[in-house]
Amino acid sequence: MEKKEDSLVAKLFGTSVSYMRRCLFNALSVGPIPDHLAFILDGNRRYARKWNLEEGMGHRAGFLSLMTLMKYCYELGVKYVTIYAFSIDNFRRKPEQVQSVMDLMLEKIEGLLKEEGIVNQYGVRVYFIGNLKLLSEPVRLAAEKSMEATANNTRSILLVCVAYTSTDEIAHAAQESCKDVYEAQNGEINEEKEKDGDGVIKLADIEKHMYMGIAPDPDILVRTSGESRLSNFLLWQTSSSLLYNPRALWPEIGLRHLVWAVLNFQRIHPYVEKRRKQL
């Protein structure tokens, strides 16, 4: 009997919290809502040390925070969410640490596709962004499978940056642009075409080949742990983005941080839009 009462109380409490959150989001929707939020997931290992948790448990706690925050974003009407999951530079860490993250990533990629998961609930299309050839074969295959499985979803977009750095992305885009120009000229340098601008690499050529070319530039970039460094993440795309650096470690991030970021975005939105039009 007591278990049924506890279950009923928990259900009523959950319903009340969801209702209050919807009311809050409705109030926020009076102003402009960001189309694209990007997150640097900083502080998982520090969180584990803070609470004397086992190796890897900080990343598991961080994954739960990610799922919750994604739910809030999609409820609010944010279409694109980008996360910096694993940098190319992270491969320099101890092999056991890299393997632990890869194992967790494989487990969570497979978990994303469960019927009751957030991907299916909110119609999320998943993209894995970066030099995927650097990933272990099981992780790469799981990433490709998840992209294929969600290809028909259109309501929301999740971009997971793995084996990614911004400098690698820019170098890749430049290389692909050079290939296009070379192939268009049949392998010959045509001085006449260069004078006309046909043989010159343009900004649009570079942007066409960027890994992140499938999404608009982020409106807000959030890095937890109070750090203000971009750490080689979206350097090309964040010139007009609002940067928000809450002191909370990634597993500690919550609704209040998202609301504060959106409020600050709405405060500066007129200025940012004016600046973008001038570019």
Side-chain angles (χ1 to χ4, degrees):
M1 186 68 178
E2 289 183 2
K3 288 185 178 179
K4 288 185 178 180
E5 289 179 354
D6 291 342
S7 178
L8 179 60
V9 170
K11 187 175 181 180
L12 288 172
F13 179 76
T15 302
S16 299
V17 170
S18 296
Y19 175 75
M20 288 187 288
R21 189 170 64 246
R22 285 198 301 271
C23 291
L24 175 60
F25 288 168
N26 285 337
L28 284 174
S29 297
V30 174
I33 297 297
D35 195 37
H36 185 179
L37 265 67
F39 297 94
I40 299 177
L41 319 184
D42 193 11
N44 290 319
R45 289 190 297 166
R46 273 173 281 175
Y47 179 84
R49 289 196 296 268
K50 178 180 177 180
W51 297 102
N52 296 317
L53 301 177
E54 295 179 7
E55 183 78 23
M57 292 305 295
H59 287 89
R60 292 184 179 275
F63 179 79
L64 294 176
S65 295
L66 172 62
M67 292 296 101
T68 301
L69 205 63
M70 281 172 55
K71 175 184 175 182
Y72 295 159
C73 286
Y74 296 139
E75 286 181 354
L76 182 57
V78 177
K79 184 173 178 65
Y80 297 88
V81 173
T82 298
I83 61 170
Y84 199 9
F86 198 80
S87 165
I88 290 176
D89 297 333
N90 290 149
F91 284 108
R92 300 173 185 167
R93 291 179 178 175
K94 296 178 181 178
E96 57 271 22
Q97 290 181 348
V98 173
Q99 188 59 49
S100 175
V101 174
M102 288 293 125
D103 291 343
L104 178 62
M105 196 178 298
L106 178 61
E107 174 189 330
K108 297 309 179 183
I109 291 173
E110 293 172 345
L112 278 175
L113 301 180
K114 290 182 179 178
E115 286 298 322
E116 69 275 11
I118 191 170
V119 167
N120 291 286
Q121 185 179 354
Y122 292 96
V124 180
R125 181 168 186 177
V126 180
Y127 288 96
F128 284 84
I129 304 296
N131 191 347
L132 303 187
K133 293 181 291 185
L134 298 177
L135 297 174
S136 63
E137 186 174 359
V139 175
R140 180 176 53 79
L141 292 176
E144 291 172 353
K145 180 182 176 182
S146 67
M147 288 191 283
E148 183 179 351
T150 62
N152 294 325
N153 293 348
T154 57
R155 285 174 54 194
S156 308
I157 307 293
L158 171 64
L159 301 106
V160 184
C161 293
V162 291
Y164 171 94
T165 60
S166 193
T167 47
D168 178 73
E169 178 185 31
I170 295 168
H172 163 80
Q175 289 165 3
E176 292 301 312
S177 299
C178 289
K179 286 181 184 177
D180 285 352
V181 171
Y182 184 78
E183 290 172 2
Q185 295 183 351
N186 297 317
E188 298 178 358
I189 298 176
N190 190 318
E191 294 183 3
E192 289 299 321
K193 284 189 175 182
E194 285 188 356
K195 289 178 181 178
D196 295 336
D198 293 337
V200 176
I201 296 174
K202 302 180 179 65
L203 179 62
D205 299 323
I206 297 288
E207 294 188 331
K208 181 177 68 174
H209 290 292
M210 299 290 278
Y211 295 140
M212 289 292 295
I214 56 179
D217 291 347
D219 297 298
I220 306 174
L221 173 60
V222 180
R223 177 167 186 163
T224 48
S225 305
E227 297 286 350
S228 56
R229 294 174 290 110
L230 294 183
S231 294
N232 214 346
F233 180 54
L234 303 184
L235 303 181
W236 185 279
Q237 296 87 356
T238 52
S239 60
S240 298
S241 302
L242 169 68
L243 304 181
Y244 175 46
N245 311 101
R247 293 181 63 108
L249 303 175
W250 175 253
E252 298 169 339
I253 196 167
L255 178 62
R256 70 185 188 278
H257 302 103
L258 175 63
V259 170
W260 186 249
V262 172
L263 287 173
N264 276 297
F265 167 77
Q266 292 178 341
R267 178 175 58 83
I268 68 167
H269 183 260
Y271 167 76
V272 172
E273 284 300 297
K274 181 179 178 181
R275 188 168 183 273
R276 280 177 175 169
K277 290 176 181 178
Q278 292 173 345
L279 294 176

